[in-house]
Short mmCIF file of all heavy atoms in Angstrom, two decimals:
data_model
loop_
_atom_site.label_atom_id
_atom_site.label_comp_id
_atom_site.label_asym_id
_atom_site.label_seq_id
_atom_site.Cartn_x
_atom_site.Cartn_y
_atom_site.Cartn_z
N HIS A 62 -61.73 22.21 86.58
CA HIS A 62 -61.18 23.57 86.62
C HIS A 62 -61.47 24.15 85.18
O HIS A 62 -61.31 23.52 84.11
CB HIS A 62 -59.64 23.63 86.80
CG HIS A 62 -59.38 22.99 88.08
ND1 HIS A 62 -59.65 23.50 89.34
CD2 HIS A 62 -58.74 21.83 88.42
CE1 HIS A 62 -59.31 22.68 90.31
NE2 HIS A 62 -58.71 21.69 89.73
N PHE A 63 -61.88 25.45 85.13
CA PHE A 63 -62.16 26.15 83.97
C PHE A 63 -61.28 27.48 83.93
O PHE A 63 -61.58 28.31 84.82
CB PHE A 63 -63.60 26.43 83.82
CG PHE A 63 -63.98 27.26 82.67
CD1 PHE A 63 -64.36 26.61 81.44
CD2 PHE A 63 -64.08 28.61 82.64
CE1 PHE A 63 -64.69 27.31 80.21
CE2 PHE A 63 -64.47 29.37 81.51
CZ PHE A 63 -64.78 28.64 80.31
N LEU A 64 -60.29 27.50 83.16
CA LEU A 64 -59.47 28.78 83.05
C LEU A 64 -59.95 29.46 81.85
O LEU A 64 -60.12 28.97 80.76
CB LEU A 64 -57.94 28.37 82.87
CG LEU A 64 -57.14 28.04 84.19
CD1 LEU A 64 -57.80 26.91 84.97
CD2 LEU A 64 -55.69 27.76 83.80
N VAL A 65 -60.12 30.70 81.96
CA VAL A 65 -60.57 31.58 80.91
C VAL A 65 -59.47 32.73 80.77
O VAL A 65 -59.23 33.50 81.75
CB VAL A 65 -61.99 32.19 81.06
CG1 VAL A 65 -62.11 32.93 82.29
CG2 VAL A 65 -62.38 32.91 79.83
N LEU A 66 -58.84 32.73 79.67
CA LEU A 66 -57.83 33.66 79.36
C LEU A 66 -58.38 34.98 78.76
O LEU A 66 -59.05 34.93 77.81
CB LEU A 66 -56.82 33.04 78.29
CG LEU A 66 -55.61 33.84 77.96
CD1 LEU A 66 -54.84 34.27 79.10
CD2 LEU A 66 -54.83 32.96 77.03
N LEU A 67 -58.23 36.02 79.50
CA LEU A 67 -58.79 37.38 79.07
C LEU A 67 -57.64 38.30 78.82
O LEU A 67 -56.77 38.51 79.64
CB LEU A 67 -59.60 37.90 80.28
CG LEU A 67 -60.81 37.08 80.64
CD1 LEU A 67 -61.64 37.64 81.72
CD2 LEU A 67 -61.73 36.81 79.44
N GLU A 68 -57.82 38.80 77.63
CA GLU A 68 -56.85 39.95 77.22
C GLU A 68 -57.73 41.13 76.75
O GLU A 68 -58.91 40.92 76.72
CB GLU A 68 -55.95 39.44 76.03
CG GLU A 68 -54.99 38.35 76.37
CD GLU A 68 -53.99 38.03 75.27
OE1 GLU A 68 -53.19 38.97 75.02
OE2 GLU A 68 -54.08 36.92 74.67
N PRO A 69 -57.18 42.28 76.62
CA PRO A 69 -57.92 43.37 76.12
C PRO A 69 -58.62 42.98 74.85
O PRO A 69 -58.08 42.25 74.01
CB PRO A 69 -56.89 44.51 75.88
CG PRO A 69 -55.84 44.19 76.82
CD PRO A 69 -55.76 42.64 76.88
N ARG A 70 -59.88 43.28 74.67
CA ARG A 70 -60.70 42.96 73.55
C ARG A 70 -61.26 41.52 73.61
O ARG A 70 -62.12 41.14 72.71
CB ARG A 70 -60.02 43.24 72.22
CG ARG A 70 -59.64 44.69 71.96
CD ARG A 70 -58.93 44.92 70.61
NE ARG A 70 -59.17 43.90 69.70
CZ ARG A 70 -58.09 43.13 69.25
NH1 ARG A 70 -56.84 43.39 69.58
NH2 ARG A 70 -58.30 42.17 68.24
N SER A 71 -60.88 40.71 74.58
CA SER A 71 -61.46 39.39 74.61
C SER A 71 -62.92 39.35 74.74
O SER A 71 -63.69 38.43 74.26
CB SER A 71 -60.85 38.49 75.77
OG SER A 71 -59.46 38.25 75.53
N LEU A 72 -63.47 40.32 75.48
CA LEU A 72 -64.90 40.37 75.76
C LEU A 72 -65.74 41.30 74.84
O LEU A 72 -66.87 41.52 75.07
CB LEU A 72 -65.13 40.77 77.19
CG LEU A 72 -64.43 39.88 78.26
CD1 LEU A 72 -64.66 40.38 79.69
CD2 LEU A 72 -65.02 38.47 78.14
N ASP A 73 -65.10 41.73 73.78
CA ASP A 73 -65.74 42.63 72.89
C ASP A 73 -67.04 42.09 72.29
O ASP A 73 -68.04 42.82 72.09
CB ASP A 73 -64.88 43.10 71.71
CG ASP A 73 -63.82 43.97 72.15
OD1 ASP A 73 -63.71 44.48 73.33
OD2 ASP A 73 -62.95 44.37 71.30
N ARG A 74 -67.17 40.76 72.06
CA ARG A 74 -68.35 40.20 71.42
C ARG A 74 -69.13 39.36 72.41
O ARG A 74 -70.00 38.62 72.13
CB ARG A 74 -67.92 39.32 70.25
CG ARG A 74 -67.33 40.02 69.14
CD ARG A 74 -67.17 39.12 67.92
NE ARG A 74 -66.65 37.86 68.16
CZ ARG A 74 -65.51 37.41 67.92
NH1 ARG A 74 -64.59 38.18 67.65
NH2 ARG A 74 -65.22 36.10 68.16
N ILE A 75 -68.83 39.56 73.73
CA ILE A 75 -69.46 38.74 74.72
C ILE A 75 -70.93 38.91 74.87
O ILE A 75 -71.67 37.98 75.38
CB ILE A 75 -68.78 38.98 76.14
CG1 ILE A 75 -68.81 37.72 76.97
CG2 ILE A 75 -69.30 40.16 76.75
CD1 ILE A 75 -67.93 36.58 76.55
N GLY A 76 -71.53 40.00 74.30
CA GLY A 76 -72.88 40.24 74.41
C GLY A 76 -73.76 39.44 73.36
O GLY A 76 -75.00 39.39 73.42
N GLU A 77 -73.04 38.83 72.38
CA GLU A 77 -73.68 38.03 71.29
C GLU A 77 -74.05 36.64 71.82
O GLU A 77 -73.09 35.99 72.37
CB GLU A 77 -72.78 37.99 70.10
CG GLU A 77 -72.38 39.32 69.54
CD GLU A 77 -71.35 39.17 68.38
OE1 GLU A 77 -71.08 38.07 67.88
OE2 GLU A 77 -70.76 40.16 68.03
#
Side-chain angles (χ1 to χ4, degrees):
H62 307 289
F63 180 88
L64 277 58
V65 58
L66 184 52
L67 299 177
E68 294 191 63
R70 298 185 10 251
S71 291
L72 298 177
D73 285 358
R74 298 190 317 260
I75 209 73
E77 299 173 14

